[in-house]
Amino acid sequence: MARLQVAGVQADLAWEDRDTNLALLGVQVSRAAANGARLVVLPEMFPSGFSMDTERTAEASDGPSATFLRDAAMMTGAWTAGSFACRDGGTDERPTNRLLLASPDGDLHHYDKVHPFSHGGEADHFAPGRRLVVVDVEGVRVALFVCYDLRFANVFWELAPDVDLYVVPANWPSRRRKHWQALLTARAIEDQAFVLGVNRVGVGRRVDGGDLPYGGDTTLVDPWGATVATMADQPGLVMGTVDTDEVARVRTQLAFLPDRRFSDDLSSDDVLQEG
């Protein structure tokens, strides 16, 4: 079985300032790798913050942000992941919120956020992804998700038997801090896997132009729902170890996953309508 040292980079992102963000985050990826991290995860939309101005922020799939992730992985020897506004030449005029995972060998894997955040205007500016993604990272099966996806348990459930670690980079506002903490723990408990949620700190902007503070709480949760490592509202690294033996032990001692029933397994006759 495998053990993987992981790191979440909790950063104060400069608004729509890619050069500043890449310079800042490059230092943090190197620092994490120097401290033993084999997988380093950056916050959602790390080059820009959660901007809806895709005319300013959207890039090609092989643009500066993708190049940054690939170069960082190859130079440090650590798998490196982060999401950005990606315009890859598809049929939809809108870009996707793409989580790109780069290996130390230069291989690239990507997941496009399936659930754009309608409440924050993301669905007006970003197209939804159409597929779920699991990547083998040095023997650890890693599922890729982004921020708002965390609220939709069904997509996590679909992958659970084949996942050891869920990775969820985010820009999750302080005002919904309790939701973030509770949902990270819930996904770990119900899917009996590790969950790494990586959030930003500092102040971004709402769609209406107002300030939007972020409280961090980057957290690694184990399959029992216990917090392995966390950090509140300061920039820094959150590091911990993912152990696939622990995932296997939990799933053997409490064999809940085989009892799960999906809606496709049930007919509409099984739904009792009252009233």
Side-chain angles (χ1 to χ4, degrees), residues 217-256:
D217 293 313
T218 293
T219 304
L220 177 64
V221 187
D222 76 9
W224 292 101
T227 298
V228 176
T230 191
M231 178 181 291
D233 58 357
Q234 298 297 318
L237 297 177
V238 175
M239 300 186 64
T241 300
V242 171
D243 186 347
T244 60
D245 281 341
E246 180 69 2
V247 176
R249 277 194 297 271
V250 173
R251 291 179 176 182
T252 298
Q253 293 174 16
L254 298 171
F256 296 155

Side-chain angles (χ1 to χ4, degrees), residues 121-204:
E122 187 179 12
D124 296 328
H125 301 278
F126 288 82
R130 300 295 181 187
R131 67 188 184 108
L132 303 179
V133 177
V134 179
V135 181
D136 186 311
V137 177
E138 301 183 9
V140 175
R141 300 167 299 176
V142 179
L144 307 180
F145 286 106
V146 178
C147 199
Y148 189 47
D149 290 328
L150 187 63
R151 290 188 178 274
F152 300 92
N154 58 306
V155 290
F156 285 70
W157 291 352
E158 285 186 42
L159 299 178
D162 301 311
V163 171
D164 301 301
L165 168 66
Y166 293 95
V167 164
V168 190
N171 275 199
W172 199 285
S174 298
R175 69 181 73 177
R176 292 187 288 277
R177 179 186 185 193
K178 289 186 180 298
H179 296 194
W180 168 254
Q181 295 168 326
L183 290 169
L184 289 174
T185 303
R187 297 295 89 85
I189 292 171
E190 67 196 8
D191 295 312
Q192 299 182 304
F194 286 86
V195 177
L196 176 62
V198 182
N199 197 21
R200 65 160 295 182
V201 292
V203 178

Side-chain angles (χ1 to χ4, degrees), residues 3-274:
R3 289 169 60 87
L4 184 72
Q5 184 83 346
V6 301
V9 178
Q10 185 161 283
D12 185 353
L13 302 177
W15 186 254
E16 296 180 353
D17 187 344
R18 183 176 62 214
D19 291 346
T20 295
N21 289 323
L22 297 193
L24 167 71
L25 294 169
V27 171
Q28 294 304 311
V29 174
S30 295
R31 179 177 164 225
N35 280 278
R38 302 297 303 143
L39 169 63
V40 184
V41 182
L42 308 179
E44 179 185 22
M45 294 181 71
F46 68 89
S48 62
F50 196 62
S51 169
M52 298 299 103
D53 188 355
T54 56
E55 292 302 314
R56 282 179 56 88
T57 64
E59 306 176 21
S61 58
D62 59 353
S65 295
T67 299
F68 165 82
L69 291 169
R70 184 176 183 180
D71 289 349
M74 294 179 72
M75 287 188 295
T76 65
W79 294 69
T80 307
S83 93
F84 61 96
C86 179
R87 203 182 297 279
D88 65 0
T91 56
D92 197 309
E93 293 182 358
R94 296 169 295 171
T96 58
N97 186 340
R98 174 161 294 183
L99 176 54
L100 191 69
L101 172 63
S103 81
D105 295 330
D107 295 330
L108 300 176
H109 308 268
H110 77 268
Y111 161 77
D112 292 331
K113 187 177 183 181
V114 168
H115 300 96
F117 184 46
S118 299
H119 180 73
E122 187 179 12
D124 296 328
H125 301 278
F126 288 82
R130 300 295 181 187
R131 67 188 184 108
L132 303 179
V133 177
V134 179
V135 181
D136 186 311
V137 177
E138 301 183 9
V140 175
R141 300 167 299 176
V142 179
L144 307 180
F145 286 106
V146 178
C147 199
Y148 189 47
D149 290 328
L150 187 63
R151 290 188 178 274
F152 300 92
N154 58 306
V155 290
F156 285 70
W157 291 352
E158 285 186 42
L159 299 178
D162 301 311
V163 171
D164 301 301
L165 168 66
Y166 293 95
V167 164
V168 190
N171 275 199
W172 199 285
S174 298
R175 69 181 73 177
R176 292 187 288 277
R177 179 186 185 193
K178 289 186 180 298
H179 296 194
W180 168 254
Q181 295 168 326
L183 290 169
L184 289 174
T185 303
R187 297 295 89 85
I189 292 171
E190 67 196 8
D191 295 312
Q192 299 182 304
F194 286 86
V195 177
L196 176 62
V198 182
N199 197 21
R200 65 160 295 182
V201 292
V203 178
R205 297 180 191 172
R206 300 196 305 263
V207 175
D208 64 9
D211 289 344
L212 187 60
Y214 295 92
D217 293 313
T218 293
T219 304
L220 177 64
V221 187
D222 76 9
W224 292 101
T227 298
V228 176
T230 191
M231 178 181 291
D233 58 357
Q234 298 297 318
L237 297 177
V238 175
M239 300 186 64
T241 300
V242 171
D243 186 347
T244 60
D245 281 341
E246 180 69 2
V247 176
R249 277 194 297 271
V250 173
R251 291 179 176 182
T252 298
Q253 293 174 16
L254 298 171
F256 296 155
L257 293 188
D259 290 337
R260 183 168 291 164
R261 296 293 178 264
F262 296 88
S263 58
D264 290 346
D265 300 328
L266 305 172
S267 72
S268 58
D269 295 335
D270 297 318
V271 179
L272 177 63
Q273 300 288 342
E274 296 183 349

